[in-house]
Amino acid sequence: MMVVVKEPVYEGTEDLRLMRLAGAGDCRARRVLAHRLAGRVRRIAQRLLQNSTEADDASQTALIEILKSASSFNGDSSIERWSDRIAVRTVIRHAREQRRRPSHPWVYKVDTESLAAPRREGRATEQIARDLQEYLTALSSQRREVLVLKHALEYTVDEIAEITGAPVGTVKDRLIAARKQIRKLIQRDIAIGARNRENKP
């Protein structure tokens, strides 16, 4: 009696099949893919853009781009990581286009406590986190983008270079300059606050 041994089904194989079907226009595959990625794309847009309405628009545009690009997926990474890059590029492009319109103030969202001096307990930490969020508006758009990609989305320098189209050395320079600029502003405000407390009767 001959025993037939079935080959194991790997998740990567299933992902490739799903992406090939989605790329070929299969409606069911596209629905599955959209359902799988919609929440993730939305979170990326929310972290990059503070305006919730614009985040919705940008995430929808990004999801469309992901579906249109499905046939280019080659399985070198997970579908999620592959889609992240398209989502980030699309949201950044969307934001740049909107920033050209004076009526749309764009503010990037990022957990900036990692850029600050040592963490403080209680209300002091909350106040510094709020101030840091405001400090981002003092940065140029290029410095702000690399900070968001590095500290909010945790991309490597090489990945940021690929996403933004800037050389690796330029990305490093922008990160260093942005961190120095924010830390300088923080130190200035801390010093001002200390002087004000000392001058109180």
Side-chain angles (χ1 to χ4, degrees), residues 68-121:
K68 287 168 58 178
S69 304
S71 59
S72 67
F73 178 75
N74 58 15
D76 286 345
S77 63
S78 68
I79 288 178
E80 285 73 16
R81 194 61 173 171
W82 171 86
S83 69
D84 282 354
R85 297 190 179 191
I86 296 176
V88 169
R89 288 193 190 103
T90 305
V91 172
I92 288 177
R93 184 171 64 249
H94 182 89
R96 286 173 177 169
E97 291 171 354
Q98 295 299 323
R99 280 202 303 268
R100 299 190 186 104
R101 304 177 185 178
S103 60
H104 290 271
W106 287 93
V107 180
Y108 286 80
K109 294 183 72 176
V110 57
D111 177 10
T112 47
E113 287 191 19
S114 59
L115 303 176
R119 293 173 61 90
R120 293 166 173 77
E121 298 298 329

Side-chain angles (χ1 to χ4, degrees), residues 1-45:
M1 178 178 179
M2 185 174 64
V3 177
V4 178
V5 179
K6 293 185 179 180
E7 293 185 4
V9 177
Y10 296 101
E11 183 180 351
T13 303
E14 289 299 305
D15 282 352
L16 278 171
R17 182 173 178 274
L18 172 65
M19 296 301 275
R20 289 194 184 111
L21 288 171
D26 183 271
C27 293
R28 183 178 180 279
R30 289 194 167 196
R31 285 196 299 270
V32 170
L33 184 60
H35 180 75
R36 176 171 170 176
L37 299 177
R40 188 181 186 93
V41 172
R42 167 68 178 163
R43 286 191 294 273
I44 288 175

